[in-house]
Amino acid sequence: MTEFGFIDRIKDLFATLPDNGFEGIGDDCAVLPVGGGESLVFTTDMLAEGVHFLRTATSARGLGRKSLAVNLSDVASMGARPIATLLSLSLPDDATGAWAEEFMQGYRELSQEFGVTLAGGDTTRSAAGITINVTAIGRAADTHIKRRSGARPGDVIFTAGALGASGAGLRDILAGRYDTPAAAIHRNPRPQVAEGLWLGRRHEVHAMMDISDGLASDIRHIMERSGVGAAIDTERIPAAADADIRTAACAGEDYVLLLTAECADAERLAADFLARFGAPLHPVGRITDGRELEWFENGTLRPLDWHGFTHY
Ligand code: ADP
Ligand code: MG
């Protein structure tokens, strides 16, 4: 079974249980309206040694930062402000002491940068390998929350940064080149927290998520949840230095925001974003009223079978 087949199975299995006010499974965060026009959002992500990181290629401090960063990215992608986290660690005997101290220093650094409280967690011994689980909690005005399900035909699709640096960095790391600029980006992604909050307040932004599994995979989540299609102009995909277009479209872990916006307001949105952040929103395509994902190259439809990560 694929990762997404399994998640569908989980959804079905729990569909008849009470929701207690939560929106269902399927977005970057679970949403709980708490009254007063506000909602809390919840997300959790796991990092497993040998699957998501190699201890030889990542410092404990860097891993502390990254394990928090990927969760802050999911909160930001809802248009919410991260407020607190819970941290669970399963540590083998050779990763306690100095390793654990260094990990917590990294986790603390990024917590401080984004003003996030560590509210609790769990610590256990592991028989094999390090496992890290972070749960992040955010809050937002109900009207600012952006979902994967909001895309409408005609919307412009934007990415809020360049793509593929993390994938190029992973390629370098697997080839034993740990010191390249791309490898540094792969180890230390910057969650777009301020950008997510700003985009959350813009009513012309209809749908948003973060790109963790590659544009080619994640745009399909917006399509499925919104019941729409998408057309991507490959020549407009903003490939990072060191990344080719295919890496930019298909490699994961960029943690760049992916959004769709009302066509008539898209240019002004991009201009305001540029003025606010000094970096462009990149228009990469448009939402269509079909169900297909189409790849164009300079206006010509290309039969590309591009897919992102499925890590399961
Ligand atoms: P993200 O990449 O943003 O972390 P995913 O695409 O991995 O999100 O997950 C898709 C959806 O499935 C999310 O809403 C997530 O909460 C849910 N999900 C994933 N695994 C499980 C699980 N074991 N039990 C319940 N929900 C899950
Ligand atoms: Mg996400």
Side-chain angles (χ1 to χ4, degrees):
M1 201 185 306
T2 65
E3 176 179 349
F4 298 114
F6 180 57
I7 294 169
D8 284 343
R9 170 73 188 132
I10 292 173
K11 269 196 242 176
D12 288 348
L13 203 54
F14 286 77
T16 56
L17 269 61
D19 62 24
N20 295 333
F22 276 86
E23 286 178 19
I25 289 173
D27 220 308
D28 293 87
C29 293
V31 178
L32 177 69
V34 289
E38 279 213 312
S39 289
L40 295 179
V41 303
F42 302 84
T43 183
T44 191
D45 255 307
M46 189 130 78
L47 294 176
E49 183 174 0
V51 180
H52 300 96
F53 66 92
L54 303 172
R55 222 189 297 183
T56 48
T58 317
S59 69
R61 176 174 157 270
L63 203 58
R65 292 180 65 94
K66 183 166 179 176
S67 56
L68 176 57
V70 301
N71 282 277
L72 298 184
S73 177
D74 274 326
V75 171
S77 78
M78 303 297 294
R81 177 185 300 284
I83 55 174
T85 65
L86 303 170
L87 168 65
S88 296
L89 295 171
S90 183
L91 301 175
D93 290 339
D94 60 352
T96 54
W99 193 95
E101 170 67 22
E102 215 198 298
F103 175 91
M104 291 312 305
Q105 290 296 341
Y107 195 92
R108 185 182 183 284
E109 267 172 31
L110 207 68
S111 298
Q112 185 170 41
E113 260 173 59
F114 289 100
V116 178
T117 305
L118 178 58
D122 193 24
T123 308
T124 68
R125 189 166 166 272
S126 161
I130 298 167
T131 304
I132 302 153
N133 178 244
V134 176
T135 299
I137 305 163
R139 69 192 299 168
D142 298 332
T143 51
H144 294 171
I145 292 180
K146 304 298 184 194
R147 297 170 178 80
R148 297 177 179 186
S149 55
R152 303 176 202 166
D155 280 3
V156 176
I157 303 168
F158 288 106
T159 70
L163 303 177
S166 184
L170 180 60
R171 177 200 62 203
D172 290 348
I173 288 167
L174 293 176
R177 296 192 302 271
Y178 298 159
D179 297 330
T180 67
I185 292 174
H186 176 81
R187 282 191 299 263
N188 191 20
R190 187 184 69 82
Q192 296 190 297
V193 172
E195 292 89 338
L197 273 172
W198 186 92
L199 291 162
R201 289 195 296 267
R202 299 292 295 229
H203 64 87
E204 63 270 56
V205 176
H206 292 160
M208 189 154 69
M209 67 179 298
D210 67 332
I211 301 179
S212 55
D213 296 342
L215 172 66
S217 175
D218 287 329
I219 190 64
R220 287 185 169 89
H221 293 311
I222 288 183
M223 289 163 50
E224 273 161 34
R225 303 281 300 173
S226 301
V228 296
I232 305 286
D233 300 315
T234 51
E235 75 280 3
R236 302 178 89 176
I237 296 172
D242 304 329
D244 56 30
I245 293 285
R246 184 167 186 170
T247 302
C250 300
E253 296 204 66
D254 280 314
Y255 303 104
V256 163
L257 296 173
L258 173 66
L259 54 133
T260 83
E262 179 70 35
C263 182
D265 303 321
E267 259 180 52
R268 193 167 39 91
L269 177 75
D272 291 352
F273 186 92
L274 181 63
R276 168 66 181 80
F277 294 105
L281 283 180
H282 303 272
V284 296
R286 60 223 153 265
I287 295 294
T288 65
D289 56 13
R291 291 290 183 277
E292 302 298 305
L293 176 55
E294 297 169 313
W295 300 96
F296 286 86
E297 194 181 331
N298 299 312
T300 304
L301 187 62
R302 295 281 179 219
L304 299 175
D305 189 29
W306 284 2
H307 288 271
F309 275 6
T310 43
H311 39 75
Y312 177 67

